[in-house]
Amino acid sequence: MRPVTPVGIISAKLAALVGRAESIDGLDPVFKAELQQVCALACGLDPYLDVCTTPESPALAALVQRTQAEDWSKRFTDGETVRQLEQEMLSGHVEGQMLKFLVHLTQAQRVLEIGMFTGYSALAMAEALPSDGQVVACEVDAYVAEFARQCFNESTAGHKIVVKVAPALETIKQLAEAGEVFDLVFIDADKAGYIDYLNLLLTTSLLAPNGLICADNTLMQGQPYLSETPTPNGKAIAQFNQTLSHDPRVEQVLLPLRDGLTLIRRM
């Protein structure tokens, strides 16, 4: 898998630099040793987090395997998916466990997921919900929605998940009009839509009074704070982070978990 998080990118670049340094004759051995130490420090972080975090369920592990085995480039080329997808879009083990913890800590009964992909985070949160809890997952791509449903059907918590296939903004507007209320909302859809999703959550009754919003990918490979030319997603996340930091309606904390996870609550 290619590195898609700040730590992953740092680790890959440091490993490459260590390799180059080894081939340079006469390079200061102290410099080499320190470079190797920094590389080990960075490269060992994510694996150590993984080892020290409660293991994922067999159902989540099976979902990961199925997602990794899928040829997503071919699915897009063949027109089966509406956008280019990749296995790196999975929330993954540590973030999935974090979301489960947040469901437990908030004692959430109903969860709204804006952007699902193959359903790892949806299933992780469903596993933490009580037997009568529910995850409503918004997904624009019919192919991945069906892919996720098949995974859910093979799990003990999959019955708690309802998948709605449509543009996310359209779905959540309908949910708001229907008077639906959610204790926890996980935003992981198109990055250009994050500000609109947040505003809708804060201007309707969708979010419970003490509800929690979690926004994913808010570090976006480090692009929001680098001076290099960012991608459209990098620009969108930078704008979202800046807008959020000046919004008097909320308070938030950006956690350096995987590609960034921002926790948001109403003031």
Side-chain angles (χ1 to χ4, degrees):
M1 293 176 65
R2 68 180 181 89
V4 293
T5 69
V7 169
I9 294 169
I10 289 170
S11 299
K13 288 186 178 294
L14 282 171
L17 288 173
V18 167
R20 289 172 60 185
E22 288 297 325
S23 65
I24 300 175
D25 294 330
L27 192 63
D28 182 1
V30 175
F31 174 81
K32 280 186 178 181
E34 290 184 348
L35 183 60
Q36 290 170 344
Q37 184 179 21
V38 171
C39 181
L41 189 64
C43 293
L45 179 57
D46 280 347
Y48 189 68
L49 294 178
D50 191 70
V51 168
C52 293
T53 298
T54 299
E56 62 194 356
S57 68
L60 286 170
L63 190 154
V64 171
Q65 291 177 351
R66 289 186 61 177
T67 302
Q68 292 177 341
E70 190 80 359
D71 189 342
W72 295 108
S73 294
K74 188 175 188 302
R75 294 288 173 260
F76 179 65
T77 302
D78 292 347
E80 295 181 83
T81 62
V82 299
R83 66 196 191 283
Q84 179 64 66
L85 304 170
E86 52 188 7
Q87 65 183 53
E88 288 84 2
M89 295 170 68
L90 277 173
S91 297
H93 169 214
V94 177
E95 186 171 2
Q97 186 64 18
M98 179 66 175
L99 292 171
K100 291 179 74 169
F101 250 76
L102 292 173
V103 171
H104 284 303
L105 291 173
T106 59
Q107 298 184 327
Q109 298 279 334
R110 305 194 75 232
V111 173
L112 173 63
E113 180 173 60
I114 304 174
M116 180 183 67
F117 189 38
T118 57
Y120 190 97
S121 51
L123 184 56
M125 293 186 287
E127 289 180 348
L129 287 172
S131 57
D132 59 345
Q134 186 179 69
V135 175
V136 176
C138 308
E139 175 53 53
V140 71
D141 198 304
Y143 182 88
V144 288
E146 183 55 32
F147 185 101
R149 288 190 182 105
Q150 292 175 13
C151 296
F152 298 157
N153 290 339
E154 298 172 6
S155 72
T156 58
H159 66 280
K160 303 176 192 175
I161 306 170
V162 174
V163 182
K164 294 186 177 292
V165 182
L169 198 61
E170 176 183 315
T171 297
I172 58 179
K173 284 180 179 178
Q174 292 174 353
L175 293 170
E177 291 170 358
E180 302 276 6
V181 180
F182 298 91
D183 307 299
L184 188 150
V185 179
F186 180 49
I187 305 176
D188 189 20
D190 58 300
K191 310 314 169 190
Y194 271 33
I195 293 175
D196 289 336
Y197 302 142
L198 179 68
N199 284 330
L200 193 56
L201 292 169
L202 295 177
T203 56
T204 67
S205 60
L206 274 170
L207 186 67
N210 294 315
L212 175 68
I213 301 172
C214 307
D216 200 16
N217 301 117
T218 46
L219 287 179
M220 189 49 67
Q221 302 172 15
Q223 293 181 39
Y225 58 86
L226 294 177
S227 58
E228 301 171 5
T229 303
T231 63
N233 279 343
K235 290 180 181 178
I237 288 297
Q239 183 179 5
F240 173 75
N241 289 342
Q242 183 177 30
T243 299
L244 188 62
S245 65
H246 292 92
D247 193 328
R249 299 173 295 178
V250 297
E251 66 176 11
Q252 69 284 333
V253 58
L254 200 169
L255 305 177
L257 172 65
R258 199 168 180 264
D259 200 25
L261 181 69
T262 298
L263 307 184
I264 308 161
R265 76 174 190 94
R266 279 197 186 98
M267 289 292 287

